[in-house]
Every structure is written in C-alpha cells, then in structure tokens.
Amino acid sequence: MITLFLVIDLLGLSLSNIQYPVLSPDGSKIAFSCFGDIWTVDREGGRARRLTVSNGYESVSKWSPDGKWIAFESDEWGSDDIYVLALSESLPPKRLTYYSTYERLLGWTPDSKKVLFGSRRNTLLGSIYSVSLAGETPKRFLDFNLISSDFISLDSLLYSRGVSRWWRKKYRGPANFDIWIKKLPDGESKRLTNFEGRDAYPMYSPATGKIYFLSNRGPNNINNIWRMNVDGSNPEQITHLKEEIYFPSISEDGRFIAFTSMGSLYTLDFKEKGVEKVPVVLSLAFKDPREDYQEFNKDVSEFAISPDEKEIAFIVHGEILVGELKDLREIDNVRQITHTPAPEKDISWHPEKEQLVFSSLCDGDFDIYTIEPLKEERFYKDLSFEIRRILNTDKTEYRPTYSPDGEKISYIEGHGQLWVMDKDGKGCKALTEESDILWVDWAPDSRWITFSRTVLGWREDVFVVLVNAKTEPINISNNPNDDYKPMWSSDGRRIAFASRDNVGNLWIKYVFLYKEDEDKDREFWEENLDSLKTPEEIQIDFDDIDNRTHTVTKIRAGYNYIAESPKGDRFAFHAENLNSDDVWTVDWFGDELLQLTKSNVDPKEIFVTKDAMNVYYLSEEGEIGVVSVQSPVPRILSFGIKMLIDKGREREETFREAWWIIQDGFYDSDFHGIDWKKMYDKYINLALISRSKRAFHSVIDMMLGELNASHLGIWKLDRDREITGRIGIIPDPEYHGDGIKIKDIIPGSPAAQEDVSLKKGEIIIAINNKKIGRENFYKMLRETANKEILVTINKKEIKVKPTTPAKIGELIWKEWVGKNQDWVKHESNSRIGYLYIASMGDFNLEKFEGDLYKQMDKDGLVIDIRYNGGGHIHDELLNILRRTTYGYSKERDDKYKTSTSLFKWDKPTVLLINEYCYSDAEIFPMGFKELKLGTVVGKPTFGAVIGTNNFTLMDGSTFRQPSTGWYRVSGNNLENNPVYPDVLVEDPPEQEGRVPCNQLKEALRILMQE
C-alpha cells in the first residue's frame, strides 16, 4: 500500500473544500469536514487535527454543549448514520443509529445527554428523534421535520424549514426556507420570517440577545449573515461577502460564528475583528494513490457486435475495448484500443472494414472519430491503432452510423438534427430541419434513412427520408402512440418499430413498404424470406401506407429497448410482463412469445444475431449477457481488464463533461443570465482538490446552483448499502424499561399480518433469541429484510419476515391517504369523494381512473396532489376532468340517464396543492386553473418545471440536464414561477402528516357550500 503524505496550506486560493464548520462551546476551536473526514483547528487557524479516518464520508458534525463530545454523520455503511466521538478518550467513534435511510444530524439537547437528528422512519415526511450516548433505541422528539435548529432556552427551539437545495442560489419561491420558533414540548410553532427567498440556519446569541441567520434577502441575492430580534423584527445584514456563505454555526457563548465560502473557512467575531479568513494547514496521509490500476469485469455502458459476429466492441469507463467472441461464453483477447482522458461513446462498426466510428469529448465537445488497427486484421490481435478525427466543428456531433455500403455516415447534431456526411467527413448535409430525432436506421440500399422524432408532446412518429434528394421526410406511422426505434429489414421491404401508449402498453409493429407484399400470405414468407434479396433501389409505395401497418405482439413496457434480427424475422425486447424487467423474444408472426431471462436484468441494449437464434443484452449492472432462443439459459460473457486510472485526470474530465452537458443542452441559451463559460474556471480548482466523491459532487452542485434552476444534480452510490429490516411497529417513546414496547402498528406491515398479529402494548424482549435490553432495536434488525426472524414477546415466540424501510414508507403514505378518505367521507356524510395522486406516472394514471370511477356517485371531489414530485400525465388527467356532457341515452322505463361521455367528472372539484408539488405536478394545476375546472386550495407550488434528461458520466455518476422549458400560453416561464392557489391555506408544522389538516378542512368546506 502506497501512502502519500501531503501538507496543504489552505490559506491560498480555493485549495480546499471545507464544509460544515461548527464552533466549540467556548469558541476556541472549529470542527469541520474536509476530504471526507472530520477535523478540528484553532479558531485563529493553524495546523488542523484529523479526528476520523474511515472508508465512509464524514460530513456534518456538532459539538456537545459541554465540549466533551463531537457527533457527526458518516455514510460508512451506505447511508448517513449518526456517530459520536469522545474527545478526551483514545477510543474509536461509536455508532448510534442503525437505520438505512439518511439521518440528518441537527445537534444536541442542552444537557449534552442526547443527540438530535432528523429521520424518515414512522411519519409521512420524517420527524426529529433523540438518541442517548448509550446508543439506545431513538425516541421521537418532534413529530415534524426541520432542516436546522438551535435552542434559545431549555423549552424554546429555533428552527428552519424548507425544501430547496442548499447549493441553489437566488431562488425565490414557496419552497424556500423560513425560520420558526416553538415552545417545547407541545407549544404551537410561530413563524418568525416570511421572506420569499432564503432564511435559514437560525442561531441564538446569548451575548447579544439576537437571532443570527443566513439569508439572501440582500440587494445582490447572495447568502450572507443577518440578525434580527427574537420576535423576528428589525432584520439587518451583518456580512457583505460577494460569494455565497454556507453552513454557519455559532459558539455556545454567542460571540463567534464560523462559516464557509467558496471552500474556505471564515469566522465572524461580533465584538472585535469582524469577518476573518481562517488559515488552515492539513497534514494528509492519503492511502489512495493518485494513479491506480482498477480491474473491470462489468460496468459496460454500451456494446456493438461486429458484422461477422466474431468480435465485440464495448465501452468501460469511457474507453473503447474490443475482444473476440468465443463460444457464447466469454470475451477473449480483450484490447483497450483508446487511452484518452475524455469519454468515448456511440461505437459503430464499418460494414466491411475492421474499423469503428465513434464520438468523443476529447476536444471540448463531442466530435466524430474513426479507429482501426495499424498492423493486424483484427483489433484484438493488434497493439497499435490509428485514430482519426473526421468531423471537427464547434457543435456537438454524436451517434455516427455507417451506411450499409460504407460510403456515408449518418450522425446527430446538436439537439437532435439528422445529418449525413461522406465517410471521410466531407459533404456534410442536414436531412431534417427539425430536432428531437432519437433513433436512426439505414435502409439496406444506403439511399434511405428511417428515424423517429417527437411530434406530439413526448410522442414520436416514424419517418423516412432520401439521403441524396432534396425531399422532405415522410411520416409512415401517423399514430397518436409513441412510435420509436424504427428498424429496416435486410430485404428492404419492411420497417419495424415499437409503439407505446401512456399506461404501460407497448406494441411491436411493422409496415410493408411495398403494396404487393400486403397480399402475400404466411406460406409465401415462410418459403421465401431467406431468399429475398435487397433491391438495388428501394421504391416505397406511400399510397395507403398507413393501412399496411401490422401488429406482432403486445407487452407491458415503458420506453424500453427493442431489437430485431437482420432479416426482421425475430424481435427481442425489454418487457415488464410478470412484474420483472427482462428480455423477451417473439417471431415476426407473433406466435412464439418467450421470456429469455428471469432474473430482472433490466436490459439497456439488445442485439439479435443473423441466424435469429441468439440474443445479446446489456444488463442494468453493466454485464453483457447472451441467451439462446432455443435453450433460454442466460450466460454472462466474462471478461477482465485492468486500467490505469489517473484519479485526478478522471475527476477533471468528469467535471468537464458535466459542465459541457449544461453548456450543450440547458434549455435556456441565456443560462438564466449567468455567464456559464466563466463557471468552469470559477469551480475547476475547487473540484480538483476534492478527494472524496461526495465532496467532488458538492462542488459541481455549487456550480449548478449558479443557474438558479430545478432538475439539476449529480449523484452516485459507490457501495452496497446496509438495509435495515422493518417489522412495522412504532416504539413507545414513554417506555423506559428493557425491550421495545409497541405503541402502534403500521397497517399492512409484517407485524399487522394475521399469522403474526403483534398487538399494541406488548413488549418485544428478544430478536432471534438475543435479548434487546436497552440496546438499539434497529441494530438487531440489520440485514434482516425479507428474511425470517424470531420475535419474542414475554414467553411467546413469533416468526416474522421484516420488510424494507422503503416499503414501510409506502405503507405510511397509504395509511395517510386512507385516513384522509375516511375523514372526508365521515364529515360529508358520504357526499364528497377524495382521491390522491402520488406521482405523475403511468401507474398513477391507471390508479386515478380507478379511484375516480369509485367516486362517480359523489356530489363533489377533493383531488389531492400535495407532495407530488411530477412525471408526465398532466394532459391525460386534464382531458378526463374537462369532458362535458353533450347528450345522454335512456332505455324504455329506465330511471337513469347514460351520459354520452361515459367516463368523465364535471361536478364541483377542489384541487389541493402545496410547495412540494414539483414539475408535472405544477403543469397539472396550471392547466386546471386555466381551464377553470374547479377551485385550487393550499400553498403555491415549488416553481420547478423543466423537461429533463439523465446522463451517465465517465466515472459512473448520474447527471441531470434540464433541456426543455415549459411555458403558459401567455409565454410566462413556469420555471421559477409557481402556480398560486385560489384560496391560500397553510398547514402549521405540527399538522404535517396529520388528519385532518387546515388545507383539507378548507377544501371540504368549499365543496359542502357548492
């Protein structure tokens, strides 16, 4: 193991990314996070002392009021847990929480006996818990969630609430942070600030009797330190930094505040020195070298089989590898044929030569290159390769594909415009004026190209266009479904494609291009398909082509991958039948529908061999598999290769790629008024000094925050997470004896099952014959999800199979919705209905239709979309709600009329919204108001509406690109412009997750009056 010792003086320009500073009670020292560990340094600066060294990322820390302990967050076990470290003892940190959701450290109780943290365990949006230093089962402290807090006194708590990202700059909207004060334990919360911008991190100073806080209410909208009276009056700005201040904390005596700005550490002295930059020296012992060999046997991002099916090219870590396909079992003789710092993608084979064409970010934007072996006839036999850039412009070019004769290359430019060029990069020609082209395939005669592009919202249609003629593309699918991934059969007589609706149905279809083929029966095709030759010039009969579309099969699927054999006689595709994401196949007559994989491989790419007997696929895990149609036993194609990874260079290229994705595709060419090109230089040094993934991502987040836009972010899970088992009980916080007393049981959970039947008030004394005593109950449930355990209650032993925290979360939501429904039913004497839309996906549309049907006999309806994170079904919902009656039918002696609009709702409706409504859950209420479908009640929505694409960066991180703006008919942008309710009603924090709440009460009051 190589250990690199490095001393860094952090007084210089952006040489660190210090985060989460916290002052000791007397203000003499500062604890902070840097390079993924917790450190302390004197308030005046100097050499820092490292307190933690682990495989995790240590972030937020809090000093105990007595100065003897530091609590901190660490993701050593996959998600953030709470740990404590005794400063006077040479003991390792002690883990206090064992719950596999992200715990958020808030601070300590004033007596230093308990640590306070936020967690989403047993309530709708999370609660505040306390845990003792002994590590007992955490107890509920507050029934609602908050972001930061500080005690004014033993019974008076300051806190801030909001849902906007900490790194987002200048946001104005209802999801921002405000400051509240609460009398403990049961007093009503009182709002102290009501500013549309950010008021957060409240800190009480005993020295001045004032509340200090972070706010961007100044003239430049930059986060600075402000102060106000305890009642919220007389706010005044204290600091005037030109860059954002982050993570402020105050000393216990109230004399000093520590904070960071652009990765550097600062202090604010109220009495003497004002704002000072703190010089910090770190002595680092890096166990991870800057260069390291990393072995890969999966993590493939794409693959391409050679025309003779003897080689496979694939991409790992942004590099192109080529190997020999042997016996459908392994990839042999693997060669790494590119060694560039930038990522490569979109590999495609030349139809005849040993050559690949691809796109690369080598020169700052994606250009098109070719590569071929220099000396040998096969890539996998050579060690030297020639790379040529054949297209170099200041625009983005990607997805190059050779024509079947090898003379031309098609590619996509910019935001989806289809182009072609000669094989040497000359003669570039645009084939379409429109953008948004997503899938392309060449005709076998190299004269035509078929493609799909969006024409109706998110729905695509299939087109064909002549390459060498000045003709417009012709739509050959003309269908309101989403028709995508067109594929030309090798005989030139058919184009197949996928066609999906918005409720999870997908059809595989094909269209005959020749009228004469429409009348040929199955016997003809079975006898002649193999002998049909490609015409020298394909002549398409466009007359009545819509009527020559045939359906092969129908499956359950979303926007999933589909492939066909060259002859078009077999399809392979990603289907969601049988509640799994697997590879299926069917012949082109639709007779032999067969599941090929059964392990939820979630395929991202599929290839069918020339003989239609084998199917290759790329799994979600980045493994290349192959399965025989005749004997469907999947095999993973094994390979192994070591790459020398320069981690600093990798980080630089990942940063550049993230910056470029925004530069190339952000929906607003003016970048919300930001000079985006300057942002690269502003943040690159700060990013490169980061040694941990999360710290590196935080720098990219800060850069993204400059845009003041939604739908941005970067993330990656590097390690497997420890999963806590949940049996579905809620511990009684008032019980102080051994074991766990059951206060409540979550409906539908394992504990509520008939064969388990745990009861409120019972005490669980052991798990798997191990006594609980005063130990943390959740510690005993580590890695027990979906595994049978033995629960002991008194002398009774019960077998239980715990579920996951995620499943418990779903059950809590379901219980909340049920309580809302029951309350509305009871209070309205069954006159008013209630339904909840949790998200805006295909499943939610189906559920909405089913729920609405059950409410048809009601006189009015509450539609609740609070906490809805968005999706894409706003139009379908609005179309159902805007249907009107234009007539009715009635049989003789029938008492009832049947409306001509069989499925509609045109009775009084109230729509509930709040600041958690995001994206498509804002387009829907906007349309609801514009169409005057009812009354909107609640709080304004977030103001976060942009269509988004996800990208996988070279280091495996996922990165979001907001690429499509959404606007009202008036032209006003929905981004940063919330939808306002007709009736403004706010629920106090104490009503979070409670039934009923003020908003629901008002909705029912309005409906009962109509």
Side-chain angles (χ1 to χ4, degrees):
M1 176 70 71
I2 300 175
T3 301
L4 174 64
F5 291 93
L6 180 64
V7 176
I8 299 181
D9 180 353
L10 299 184
L11 183 59
L13 175 65
S14 296
L15 288 178
S16 71
N17 185 16
I18 287 179
Q19 292 181 304
Y20 312 113
V22 58
L23 282 152
S24 61
D26 62 3
S28 65
K29 293 185 180 297
I30 303 171
F32 60 89
S33 174
C34 191
F35 301 115
D37 291 308
I38 303 297
W39 305 69
T40 59
V41 68
D42 291 341
R43 190 186 72 247
E44 293 81 8
R47 187 175 299 277
R49 175 191 174 200
R50 194 177 202 161
L51 298 185
T52 66
V53 179
S54 78
N55 293 325
Y57 176 78
E58 280 80 58
S59 53
V60 178
S61 63
K62 299 289 181 181
W63 229 297
S64 64
D66 62 10
K68 296 179 180 179
W69 301 83
I70 285 181
F72 61 91
E73 295 176 14
S74 176
D75 68 357
E76 184 174 9
W77 290 91
S79 56
D80 286 337
D81 285 297
I82 309 300
Y83 292 72
V84 289
L85 180 66
L87 296 175
S88 61
E89 302 175 22
S90 299
L91 295 174
K94 179 179 180 179
R95 184 179 177 185
L96 296 184
T97 65
Y98 295 85
Y99 197 73
S100 54
T101 59
Y102 289 91
E103 321 277 36
R104 187 178 62 258
L105 177 63
L106 292 170
W108 294 75
T109 53
D111 60 6
S112 297
K113 292 182 178 181
K114 294 179 181 179
V115 178
L116 299 178
F117 65 96
S119 180
R120 200 164 183 168
R121 298 183 178 213
N122 300 316
T123 52
L124 195 70
L125 297 177
S127 298
I128 307 307
Y129 293 83
S130 67
V131 60
S132 69
L133 292 175
E136 297 172 342
T137 301
K139 297 182 182 296
R140 189 98 55 88
F141 183 80
L142 286 176
D143 287 337
F144 58 86
N145 214 346
L146 54 89
I147 299 302
S148 60
S149 63
D150 191 23
F151 283 91
I152 290 182
S153 61
L154 291 175
D155 62 351
S156 186
L157 182 70
L158 281 170
Y159 65 89
S160 62
R161 281 168 55 89
V163 291
S164 62
R165 303 292 185 91
W166 65 265
W167 39 264
R168 183 169 178 174
K169 298 177 69 172
K170 302 182 180 181
Y171 167 67
R172 297 288 187 268
N176 238 324
F177 295 90
D178 281 314
I179 295 172
W180 300 69
I181 190 169
K182 180 179 175 66
K183 203 74 172 175
L184 299 174
D186 300 318
E188 185 91 355
S189 291
K190 177 186 175 183
R191 184 195 293 273
L192 296 182
T193 67
N194 196 15
F195 169 53
E196 64 177 357
R198 174 171 294 167
D199 290 331
Y201 293 95
M203 301 164 284
Y204 177 69
S205 169
T208 65
K210 302 278 188 179
I211 296 173
Y212 293 79
F213 60 101
L214 187 69
S215 181
N216 61 4
R217 59 175 69 201
N220 58 1
N221 299 331
I222 296 295
N223 279 340
N224 267 286
I225 303 297
W226 289 61
R227 72 180 176 191
M228 61 184 175
N229 295 330
V230 175
D231 61 1
S233 62
N234 297 326
E236 59 177 322
Q237 187 170 350
I238 301 302
T239 65
H240 296 82
L241 272 67
K242 294 181 180 180
E243 292 292 346
E244 296 275 304
I245 287 177
Y246 298 112
F247 318 122
S249 72
I250 196 167
S251 59
E252 194 75 16
D253 61 10
R255 286 192 54 209
F256 305 97
I257 288 177
F259 59 86
T260 66
S261 182
M262 284 300 293
S264 294
L265 181 61
Y266 294 82
T267 57
L268 169 62
D269 185 338
F270 297 152
K271 292 187 176 181
E272 298 178 5
K273 300 179 181 179
V275 175
E276 285 196 325
K277 193 172 185 179
V278 180
V280 181
V281 177
L282 301 183
S283 299
L284 299 178
F286 290 136
K287 294 183 178 180
D288 55 326
R290 298 293 286 181
E291 284 189 339
D292 191 18
Y293 278 100
Q294 188 171 343
E295 187 163 356
F296 293 92
N297 53 26
K298 58 178 184 176
D299 297 325
V300 176
S301 57
E302 63 178 271
F303 74 93
I305 306 291
S306 64
D308 64 4
E309 299 181 0
K310 294 182 179 180
E311 291 175 280
I312 182 170
F314 54 103
I315 291 182
V316 172
H317 198 263
E319 304 287 4
I320 301 177
L321 311 177
V322 178
E324 180 184 9
L325 285 174
K326 295 185 81 173
D327 304 325
L328 300 180
R329 292 184 180 277
E330 64 178 339
I331 304 173
D332 201 11
N333 298 318
V334 176
R335 290 283 188 268
Q336 180 179 342
I337 66 172
T338 62
H339 294 79
T340 66
E344 278 79 57
K345 66 176 186 177
D346 304 328
I347 47 177
S348 180
W349 287 87
H350 190 283
E352 298 173 353
K353 297 170 58 178
E354 185 77 355
Q355 185 186 82
L356 290 166
V357 62
F358 62 96
S359 55
S360 176
L361 193 59
C362 274
D363 198 32
D365 59 68
F366 274 105
D367 291 316
I368 295 178
Y369 297 74
T370 61
I371 186 170
E372 52 191 303
L374 271 177
K375 300 176 181 178
E376 303 290 345
E377 75 278 6
R378 295 282 189 182
F379 278 110
Y380 63 80
K381 292 183 177 180
D382 214 333
L383 296 173
S384 302
F385 310 97
E386 181 182 12
I387 298 178
R388 293 176 57 242
R389 180 165 55 193
I390 62 172
L391 188 61
N392 179 21
T393 73
D394 58 357
K395 296 183 178 180
T396 297
E397 299 93 18
Y398 54 101
R399 294 189 193 166
T401 306
Y402 274 110
S403 60
D405 62 8
E407 295 300 313
K408 291 189 176 296
I409 297 173
S410 66
Y411 62 95
I412 303 297
E413 181 184 276
H415 298 157
Q417 190 179 23
L418 177 61
W419 286 65
V420 293
M421 62 180 173
D422 297 335
K423 61 184 179 182
D424 58 2
K426 298 179 180 179
C428 297
K429 173 187 175 182
L431 295 184
T432 61
E433 293 182 1
E434 299 84 0
S435 297
D436 293 330
I437 290 170
L438 301 175
W439 301 96
V440 176
D441 195 32
W442 279 92
D445 68 352
S446 298
R447 295 176 62 249
W448 295 85
I449 285 178
T450 181
F451 63 87
S452 61
R453 70 170 180 86
T454 54
V455 294
L456 184 65
W458 48 267
R459 299 166 178 86
E460 301 168 53
D461 270 345
V462 175
F463 294 78
V464 293
V465 63
L466 276 168
V467 173
N468 293 320
K470 295 182 179 180
T471 58
E472 293 294 318
I474 298 172
N475 190 327
I476 65 168
S477 65
N478 280 315
N479 190 290
N481 275 2
D482 184 16
D483 300 330
Y484 68 96
K485 189 63 166 57
M487 301 165 288
W488 220 302
S489 61
S490 59
D491 59 18
R493 310 185 77 88
R494 284 168 290 138
I495 292 176
F497 56 92
S499 180
R500 70 175 181 126
D501 63 16
N502 60 350
V503 291
N505 298 308
L506 184 142
W507 294 262
I508 297 174
K509 299 181 178 181
Y510 65 85
V511 57
F512 280 123
L513 304 180
Y514 290 79
K515 282 186 177 181
E516 63 189 59
D517 291 341
E518 184 69 15
D519 298 326
K520 295 171 181 174
D521 59 17
R522 176 168 179 163
E523 183 179 354
F524 170 84
W525 293 109
E526 288 178 336
E527 292 178 357
N528 296 284
L529 184 63
D530 291 342
S531 61
L532 289 175
K533 295 182 179 180
T534 304
E536 291 187 10
E537 293 189 0
I538 295 172
Q539 302 294 333
I540 301 175
D541 297 325
F542 289 105
D543 290 342
D544 298 324
I545 195 168
D546 296 352
N547 297 324
R548 301 198 298 272
T549 298
H550 299 264
T551 297
V552 177
T553 193
K554 174 187 173 183
I555 58 173
R556 293 291 298 172
Y559 193 77
N560 292 355
Y561 202 94
I562 177 175
E564 73 169 353
S565 62
K567 291 184 296 185
D569 56 342
R570 179 162 296 280
F571 298 93
F573 43 88
H574 170 187
E576 298 167 19
N577 296 14
L578 305 180
N579 296 316
S580 69
D581 290 271
D582 276 296
V583 181
W584 289 63
T585 185
V586 68
D587 68 302
W588 76 296
F589 297 117
D591 293 340
E592 302 169 4
L593 183 62
L594 177 67
Q595 184 176 5
L596 297 181
T597 68
K598 297 181 180 180
S599 56
N600 204 40
V601 299
D602 196 7
K604 303 305 175 188
E605 193 173 347
I606 299 172
F607 175 86
V608 185
T609 56
K610 287 183 288 187
D611 61 7
M613 290 293 101
N614 292 290
V615 175
Y616 292 86
Y617 61 90
L618 177 63
S619 74
E620 171 69 16
E621 297 296 319
E623 295 176 320
I624 301 173
V626 63
V627 58
S628 167
V629 174
Q630 294 179 326
S631 177
V633 179
R635 302 189 191 96
I636 299 301
L637 296 181
S638 62
F639 73 93
I641 189 168
K642 284 186 176 181
M643 291 185 184
L644 181 61
I645 307 298
D646 183 329
K647 295 183 179 180
R649 193 64 184 270
E650 175 191 63
R651 200 153 284 152
E652 181 178 3
E653 290 303 320
T654 301
F655 182 89
R656 182 160 67 109
E657 187 180 5
W659 176 89
W660 171 85
I661 288 172
I662 298 299
Q663 170 68 25
D664 184 66
F666 188 66
Y667 87 102
D668 177 21
S669 60
D670 191 44
F671 298 95
H672 283 186
I674 296 297
D675 188 340
W676 184 245
K677 292 185 178 180
K678 287 185 178 180
M679 296 303 104
Y680 184 94
D681 294 332
K682 180 176 179 178
Y683 288 97
I684 181 63
N685 289 333
L686 195 58
L688 294 185
I689 197 65
S690 302
R691 297 289 298 195
S692 68
K693 186 75 69 178
R694 284 179 62 175
F696 173 64
H697 285 173
S698 74
V699 177
I700 293 180
D701 282 336
M702 286 192 291
M703 178 176 69
L704 296 174
E706 301 273 0
L707 293 166
N708 184 18
S710 64
H711 293 77
L712 289 163
I714 180 171
W715 65 93
K716 183 184 180 184
L717 296 176
D718 282 328
R719 296 188 305 279
D720 292 334
R721 290 174 57 189
E722 175 185 87
I723 301 298
T724 310
R726 282 296 309 268
I727 64 174
I729 65 132
I730 297 177
D732 187 342
E734 303 302 322
Y735 176 72
H736 301 290
D738 288 348
I740 295 294
K741 186 176 183 179
I742 301 174
K743 179 183 179 182
D744 208 347
I745 295 173
I746 298 169
S749 67
Q753 300 307 305
E754 191 173 340
D755 59 341
V756 174
S757 192
L758 295 176
K759 295 178 176 59
K760 298 179 185 179
E762 291 183 321
I763 298 175
I764 302 174
I765 62 173
I767 299 291
N768 289 333
N769 296 316
K770 182 180 179 181
K771 288 187 177 181
I772 298 173
R774 302 295 178 90
E775 195 169 358
N776 191 327
F777 176 58
Y778 298 105
K779 182 179 180 180
M780 308 186 77
L781 294 172
R782 300 166 70 186
E783 295 294 343
T784 61
N786 302 313
K787 301 174 185 177
E788 200 170 65
I789 64 171
L790 198 64
V791 175
T792 304
I793 297 176
N794 296 328
K795 296 182 179 180
K796 180 174 62 174
E797 293 183 339
I798 302 172
K799 290 182 179 179
V800 185
K801 183 179 286 187
T803 186
T804 64
K807 181 62 179 177
I808 291 295
E810 293 174 10
L811 294 174
I812 290 170
W813 278 93
K814 185 177 180 180
E815 181 185 19
W816 177 73
V817 171
K819 287 181 178 179
N820 285 333
Q821 289 172 333
D822 293 343
W823 183 85
V824 170
K825 180 179 179 180
H826 179 268
E827 294 296 315
S828 69
N829 197 23
S830 299
R831 286 182 53 211
I832 306 300
Y834 170 95
L835 64 81
Y836 182 69
I837 306 174
S839 187
M840 304 296 254
D842 296 339
F843 166 79
N844 305 101
L845 178 59
E846 288 186 81
K847 189 175 188 305
F848 170 80
E849 291 175 340
D851 290 345
L852 183 60
Y853 191 80
K854 297 173 186 176
Q855 312 294 333
M856 286 299 181
D857 62 336
K858 300 294 189 288
D859 297 329
L861 180 65
V862 178
I863 299 177
D864 190 351
I865 63 166
R866 293 172 297 173
Y867 313 108
N868 186 316
H872 61 265
I873 62 172
H874 66 272
D875 194 50
E876 289 78 8
L877 296 174
L878 292 170
N879 282 333
I880 292 172
L881 294 174
R882 70 189 298 187
R883 291 173 185 163
T884 58
T885 298
Y886 54 87
Y888 65 89
S889 62
K890 185 172 180 291
E891 293 185 3
R892 174 176 163 177
D893 299 327
D894 196 347
K895 296 180 181 180
Y896 302 101
K897 300 174 183 178
T898 301
S899 170
T900 47
S901 296
L902 294 178
F903 188 68
K904 66 178 180 61
W905 179 267
D906 56 4
K907 300 175 187 178
T909 307
V910 169
L911 179 66
L912 281 178
I913 63 173
N914 65 6
E915 67 272 29
Y916 292 86
C917 292
Y918 196 86
S919 196
D920 202 51
E922 300 184 76
I923 299 174
F924 173 57
M926 182 270 289
F928 188 92
K929 290 189 67 174
E930 291 286 335
L931 297 171
K932 296 179 172 55
L933 297 176
T935 304
V936 181
V937 173
K939 283 194 66 180
T941 62
F942 194 113
V945 186
I946 315 179
T948 308
N949 295 314
N950 281 1
F951 291 79
T952 300
L953 305 183
M954 185 175 72
D955 70 344
S957 300
T958 301
F959 186 80
R960 304 192 82 185
Q961 178 202 67
S963 57
T964 304
W966 280 85
Y967 305 85
R968 291 178 170 87
V969 174
S970 62
N972 291 333
N973 194 345
L974 282 172
E975 177 70 4
N976 288 324
N977 288 292
V979 178
Y980 285 84
D982 301 309
V983 181
L984 180 64
V985 181
E986 180 173 42
D987 290 336
E990 286 79 8
Q991 287 188 7
E992 189 171 88
R994 299 289 183 89
V995 179
C997 62
N998 291 345
Q999 292 170 347
L1000 187 60
K1001 289 178 182 178
E1002 179 63 15
L1004 183 59
R1005 186 194 67 79
I1006 292 171
L1007 288 170
M1008 293 295 285
Q1009 289 181 348
E1010 293 193 20

